């Protein structure tokens, strides 16, 4: 199969880090905070590499949009088995306002340029939880889009002839869907378990190429039409009150107007 | 009977049979002396230790780890309960269901029958409890998180359990010097979380961190995963507040890095396992939280290569190295079988967990990658993976930290915590495998190889006296032969108290007895633990 897969990977604040809001409430603190690849993107990379190991695709290209640091994230994808990377340079103010619409425009342009047959993305990013990039990219390209998960257990993703075959678990049993290639697939949590990048692969990844591209080269305007007004922490959980007797409990409930 | 020829043949079976003859140790020793010129140095060492083993220590010869007969302490009366209930209202527990978990150790291998559990909140309350118990001659078992592995944290008979679980206040923290002062019942993980918010960390870390109390850590001189980098509690603890057996409060809670005024009393209590005093507050020096932590999980095909990797590691990672742990293939299969964890790399006979901690991520990653390249190209290491993100780091560490948990699913575990010269560490594991053959279900080795500390574990579907007889005193004699310690960090507690002679000379043990008699003349603090039975 001569198919080429484009995998989008996003660099986000690490899942285990405690998030803090910036004092000026315009966003969260990102300086000096541990970042890593979005867990859903890891699953997307894993799926793409699996397809390559099954010899259903020829090449896996990892793409990320952002400043210099996203190259680490691309290297991780390369260490997991991607063949080459593309770094779309977006920095400063543009990076702060970069959202699903701009990213999907970039991915659509790249898909055409690289002649990709399949785009695999994570279903959502853990920093904004938008769950929009996959759908928007498909719409811009006018390609079918499927999440092999859709909230239930995904069993497999396969390529047969020129169609993408997806088997997934639904309430009534197993559902097999065939969709035309080229297509966009978004990966949810239970699709697979991403592999650890082992040392021999990490060494090999150092030699793989990462191309640099600017959004302007792709004819994409990354200005945003959205403005963040303010960012706040969720309200602190109030401590509960312990009461000694049932009478007290009834009294307190009446006070609070609950009964 | 040519006893010494018999003794010098390494045949456990014969010796055990002869051990039942009530021979006085002096008699055997005098016989041995007659033949001393005929024996090699190794033989003589073996004989001396067998004499030690047969000093009639412990309840039955051949099982010095079992409990001795109950000493003549008073029994708890209604008046005693009334006193405790007045002193600690609502915190004097006598309900047998609630007492059950405090009467059994974490490994579920020893159980006492205490009928009273006390939960003081302040040092003053502890002082009043001990003063009363001392007058009434009531035995007390101090208890922290009850995660000890040598039966030292639970009562043997009906000792009153003195729990620190409600003494969990942080008293002060100075973020310039990094000195933390807190009560003894603070859980280690909670202290870590408290400190991490302030950009510091605790100088020790162990698998039991979610349950163990800092007081317990100090009284057992816990080692743990960070000892390689930050040293032992003997260096990081700056001060202690201790309540003595008669209720006197000894306030040595200094927060000074340097203080050479008189004898350093706190060192007596660190590692004394609750037998010299009850620790009620600790002041400890905490290091800054490292900005960059990386963990590498590597596979080696032989122990020799593991040791060479360690040397390379020391050389190339040096100042940023914060942990160097190992586990063997048997441990990995237990983790996979019982806890469903996955091996992130290809199967190897040995696995290493290396942690680096430094102040600059780029520098550390460069050092680490150079090191990894070096060990991969020289084939010291056959496979490996690296983690820089918190979630992945936790996942890799759990492969080492959860081995103890995986072992509990095997049935009954015989645990040995041995210090040896680093080159000899795995020889003991292989030797035991050969020695025990089919008697044991599994023989695994893992531990702080960077500190020369092996955790040797032997499992069996259930408690097996024949297996125990094959293991002990063989394992202790082996350790003693190489001048190792029979308890590197777990302490002696109940199970190992009578083996102290394998690692300490009699004069030292005698002096320990004198100190105990001076600080606790009635012997009410954690009796039957730490010091051997013949010390009385």
């Amino acid at each position: 199969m001569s198919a080429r897969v484009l995998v989008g990977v996003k660099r986000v604040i690490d899942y285990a880090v405690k998030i803090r809001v910036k004092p000026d409430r315009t966003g969260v603190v990102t300086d000096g905070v541990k970042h890593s690849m979005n867990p859903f993107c890891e699953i997307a990379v894993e799926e793409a590499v699996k397809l390559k190991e099954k010899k259903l695709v020829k090449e896996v290209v990892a793409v990320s949009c952002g400043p210099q640091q996203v190259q680490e994230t691309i290297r991780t994808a390369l260490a997991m088995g991607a063949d080459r990377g593309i770094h779309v340079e977006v920095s400063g103010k543009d990076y702060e306002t970069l959202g699903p619409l701009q990213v999907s425009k970039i991915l659509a342009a790249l898909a055409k340029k690289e002649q990709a047959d399949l785009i695999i993305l994570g279903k959502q990013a853990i920093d904004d939880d938008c769950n929009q990039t996959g759908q928007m990219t498909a719409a811009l390209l006018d390609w079918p889009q499927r999440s092999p998960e859709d909230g239930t257990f995904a069993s497999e993703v396969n390529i047969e002839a020129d169609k993408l075959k997806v088997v997934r678990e639904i309430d009534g049993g197993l559902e097999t869907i065939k969709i035309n290639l080229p297509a966009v697939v978004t990966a949810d949590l239970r699709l697979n378990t991403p592999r650890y990048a082992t040392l021999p692969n990490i060494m090999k990844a150092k030699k793989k190429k990462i191309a640099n591209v600017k959004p302007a080269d792709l004819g994409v305007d990354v200005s945003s039409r959205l403005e963040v007004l303010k960012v706040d922490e969720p309200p602190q959980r109030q401590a509960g009150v312990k009461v000694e007797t049932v009478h007290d409990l009834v009294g307190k409930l009446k006070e609070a107007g609950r009964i | 009977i040519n006893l010494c020829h018999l003794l010098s043949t390494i045949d456990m079976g014969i010796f055990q049979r002869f051990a039942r003859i009530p021979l006085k140790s002096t008699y055997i020793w005098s016989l041995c002396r007659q033949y001393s010129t005929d024996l090699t140095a190794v033989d003589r060492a073996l004989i001396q230790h067998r004499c030690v083993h047969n000093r009639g220590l412990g309840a039955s010869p051949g099982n010095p780890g079992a409990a001795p007969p109950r000493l003549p302490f008073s029994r708890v009366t209604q008046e005693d309960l009334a006193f405790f209930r007045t002193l600690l209202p609502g915190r004097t527990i006598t309900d047998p269901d609630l007492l059950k978990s405090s009467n059994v150790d974490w490994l579920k291998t020893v159980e006492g029958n205490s009928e009273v559990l006390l939960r003081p909140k302040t040092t003053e309350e502890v002082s009043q409890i001990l003063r009363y118990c001392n007058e009434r001659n009531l035995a007390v078992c101090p208890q922290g998180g009850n995660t000890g592995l040598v039966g030292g944290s639970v009562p043997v008979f009906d000792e009153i359990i003195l729990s620190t679980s409600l003494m969990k206040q942080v008293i002060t923290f100075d973020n310039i010097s990094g000195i933390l002062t807190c009560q003894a019942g603070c859980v280690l993980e909670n202290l870590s979380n408290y400190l991490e918010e302030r950009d510091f960390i605790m100088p020790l870390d162990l698998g039991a961190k979610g349950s163990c109390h800092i007081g317990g850590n100090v009284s057992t001189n816990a080692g743990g995963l960070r000892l390689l980098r930050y040293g032992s509690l003997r260096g990081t603890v700056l001060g202690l507040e201790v309540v003595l057996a008669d209720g006197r409060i000894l306030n040595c809670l200094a927060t000074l890095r340097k203080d050479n005024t008189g004898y350093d009393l706190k060192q007596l209590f660190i590692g004394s396992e609750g037998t010299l005093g009850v620790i009620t507050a600790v002041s400890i020096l905490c290091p800054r939280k490292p900005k960059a932590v990386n963990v590498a999980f590597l596979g080696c095909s032989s122990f020799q290569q593991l040791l060479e990797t360690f040397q390379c590691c020391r050389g190339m990672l040096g100042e940023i190295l914060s942990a160097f742990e190992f586990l063997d293939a048997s441990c990995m299969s237990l983790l996979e079988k019982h806890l469903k964890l996955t091996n992130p790399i290809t199967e190897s006979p040995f696995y290493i967990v290396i942690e680096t901690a430094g102040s600059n991520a780029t520098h550390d990653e460069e050092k680490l990658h150079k090191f990894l390249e070096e060990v991969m190209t020289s084939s010291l290491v056959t496979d490996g993976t690296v983690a820089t993100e918190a979630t992945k780091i936790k996942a890799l560490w759990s492969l080492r930290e959860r081995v103890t948990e995986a072992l509990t699913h095997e049935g009954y575990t015989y645990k040995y915590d041995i210090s040896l010269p680093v080159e000899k560490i795995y020889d003991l594991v292989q030797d035991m495998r050969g020695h025990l053959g089919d008697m044991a279900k599994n023989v695994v080795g893992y531990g702080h190889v960077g500190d020369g500390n092996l955790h040797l574990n032997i499992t069996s579907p259930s408690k097996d006296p024949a297996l125990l007889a094959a293991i002990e005193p063989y394992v202790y004699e082996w350790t003693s032969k190489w001048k190792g310690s029979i308890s590197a960090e777990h302490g002696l507690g109940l199970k190992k108290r009578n083996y102290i002679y394998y690692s300490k000379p009699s004069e030292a043990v005698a002096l320990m007895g004198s100190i105990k008699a001076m600080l606790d003349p009635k012997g009410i603090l954690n009796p039957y633990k730490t010091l051997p039975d013949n010390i009385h």
Side-chain angles (χ1 to χ4, degrees), chain B residues 492-509:
Chain B
L492 297 172
L494 175 74
K495 294 181 187 174
K496 299 187 189 172
R497 68 198 191 279
N498 287 318
Y499 296 120
I500 192 173
Y501 293 104
Y502 281 100
S503 295
K504 288 279 183 324
S506 332
E507 303 78 24
V509 181

Side-chain angles (χ1 to χ4, degrees), chain B residues 351-376:
Chain B
Y351 301 95
I352 310 176
V353 180
I354 296 178
E355 186 188 75
T356 64
S359 55
N360 187 315
T362 343
H363 292 175
D364 287 1
E365 268 168 41
E366 199 186 310
K367 285 183 189 152
L368 186 59
H369 280 273
K370 275 217 174 75
F371 162 72
L372 291 172
E373 225 178 290
E374 173 63 38
V375 289
M376 282 291 307

Side-chain angles (χ1 to χ4, degrees), chain B residues 2 6 52 69 84-85 147 149 151 212 238 240 445 452 477 509 516:
Chain B
N2 195 335
L6 277 169
V52 157
F84 293 133
R85 287 193 176 112
T147 54
L149 300 171
C212 61
L238 299 178
L240 289 180
E477 291 174 354
V509 181
K516 166 77 173 172

Side-chain angles (χ1 to χ4, degrees), chain A residues 14-15 34 36 42 196-199, chain B residues 344 384-385 388-389 391-392 395:
Chain A
D14 187 79
Y15 158 71
K34 191 81 214 159
S36 54
E42 278 181 358
Y196 281 87
T198 54
L199 283 180
Chain B
T385 184
T388 45
E389 307 96 46
T391 349
K392 290 222 170 69

Side-chain angles (χ1 to χ4, degrees), chain A residues 9-43:
Chain A
V9 295
K10 186 177 181 188
R11 180 176 181 265
V12 297
I13 295 179
D14 187 79
Y15 158 71
V17 167
K18 188 158 182 253
I19 306 290
R20 270 179 295 190
V21 178
K22 279 202 275 215
D24 60 4
R25 288 155 85 200
T26 55
V28 298
V29 176
T30 51
D31 279 337
V33 171
K34 191 81 214 159
H35 283 66
S36 54
M37 191 192 290
N38 179 31
F40 293 90
C41 297
E42 278 181 358
I43 295 170

Side-chain angles (χ1 to χ4, degrees), chain B residues 204-268:
Chain B
L204 80 162
D205 187 25
L206 36 150
K209 57 185 147 218
S211 312
C212 61
H213 295 187
I214 188 68
N217 290 144
V218 175
S219 69
T220 53
N221 191 21
L225 306 160
R226 287 186 188 146
L227 193 129
L228 189 70
R229 170 70 167 262
Y230 302 113
S232 93
L233 284 171
R234 294 198 180 281
T236 50
V237 170
L238 299 178
L240 289 180
E241 182 190 63
V242 182
V243 178
L244 301 175
D246 58 5
R248 277 179 294 163
I249 300 175
L250 189 67
N251 185 348
C252 291
L253 206 58
T255 50
L256 301 168
R257 194 77 181 75
K258 303 167 85 169
D259 178 15
N260 281 346
T261 51
Y263 303 150
D264 192 8
L265 293 177
K266 67 176 188 292
Q267 293 295 344
L268 263 182

